[in-house]
Structure formats: structure tokens, C-alpha cells
Amino acid sequence: MLLPSLIAIVFALALIIGDWFQFTTLKPWACRYGCRLAQRQDSLSKPRDSFPRLFKTNSTLPLPHGLARWVGEHQTIVIRPYYALFSMRFRTAWPLKGTIDYQIEDGQLRLNLSKRIPWSSAILTAIWLLFVIGGTLSFLVMFALDGGFSSMSGLFFGIGLVALGILVLAGGVILLSLAYRLEDSRLMQVYQELLGKFGATEGQTPPSGIKTL
């Protein structure tokens, strides 16, 4: 029993490591890899030959707080913050990268930024949320069927465990919200630096809004 458990753990870790490697790489074959969370649209004035001039070395553009890579065959730009192995900056389990699909129409550069997280982070988070919610609801049903709410002590015991489940769920949601805000601020910092390279301060039209999926 121990050996199959170890094999399953090693296999799960290998999948997670592979998922994060594919997520963090800027290779063209992984440009749209990741679970999409939200998207933002902008429109800029920019000539057609801006990308060859900006992305010179391996189609990669170093920025002060991240990297951008132009994937011309997919009409996509991939951006992500720097991921230093021994960085002093706090890292979360929900890193974000951006996939920018672009089109050039009537002298306007239209950008559609999609924010993505690793699939393993999205799946494990969904499993955890379902486990907490499902476990709390299952306890309520089983406890009620066994007559646990028929006495005053059982009633208080049930209410206490439900309140504990709600607190755990609320704490998890708050943690996810704070982590998303932190990672989103880092990604948007890189995005604004890229817009600065495009000369976004000249001729930029107002953003068409942010869509959350």
C-alpha cells in the first residue's frame, strides 16, 4: 500500500512540475498555455513594423520587471513577471502570465490581454473549494438524518461545525483574493511597461474594459 501511494505522489508532483514549466516558458508552443481568468482590451496607435524593431533578440524583449516575447506566427505576445528562484519577494501558488492577441486595423493596434494561471493551481483550488463546501453540506445532511438536531446539544454542535466550515471557506476565499490582487499588480506592471515601449502615451484610446471569465 505504501509503494502505490509513493508512486501516486511522485506522479502528481511530476505533473505539477511539468505544468509549471510549460506555464512559465516563453516558447511559441506554450504561448497560450494556462487557465484563462480574465481579459482586458486596449487600442493604441502604432505602425505595423513596430514588432521587428522592438523584439530583436530571439523575439524577446526584457522589461524592468518582466519579459515579453513576440510569437509572430500566432499573432501573440506573451508577458510574465520575473520568476527568481531565490527571490526575496513573496510568491504565491497562483502566478499570472499574460497572452496578448493583437490586430492592426486602420492604423490602430488592438490588444486583447488574457490573464492565465497554471492549470494545476486552478484544478487544486477548485478541488479544495469543492471539498470544503461538499464536506460541510454532507455533514449537515448526514447529521440531520441521524437525528443530530433533535437535541439542544446536537443543535449547538452542528451549528458550531457549520460555522467552522464557513470560516475555513471564507479564509480561503480571502487568501485567493489577496493572492490574485498581488499577482495581478505584478502582471499589470509588466503590461504597462510593454505599452510604454509601444509609445502608449501617444494616441492611446481609452480601454474598452475588463472582462472576467
Side-chain angles (χ1 to χ4, degrees), residues 76-99:
T76 300
I77 303 171
V78 185
I79 60 172
R80 66 167 175 82
Y82 285 123
Y83 298 140
L85 183 59
F86 298 105
S87 174
M88 297 298 294
R89 300 175 67 189
F90 177 74
R91 306 303 309 185
T92 73
W94 301 273
L96 285 175
K97 78 172 183 181
T99 301

Side-chain angles (χ1 to χ4, degrees), residues 155-194:
L155 179 62
F156 281 113
F157 179 74
I159 293 176
L161 286 182
V162 171
L164 179 62
I166 294 176
L167 286 176
V168 172
L169 180 62
V173 172
I174 292 174
L175 176 62
L176 291 174
S177 176
L178 293 176
Y180 178 79
R181 287 178 178 272
L182 176 62
E183 297 293 350
D184 183 65
S185 66
R186 290 170 176 169
L187 179 66
M188 293 308 297
Q189 186 178 32
V190 179
Y191 181 63
Q192 293 299 329
E193 291 170 353
L194 179 64

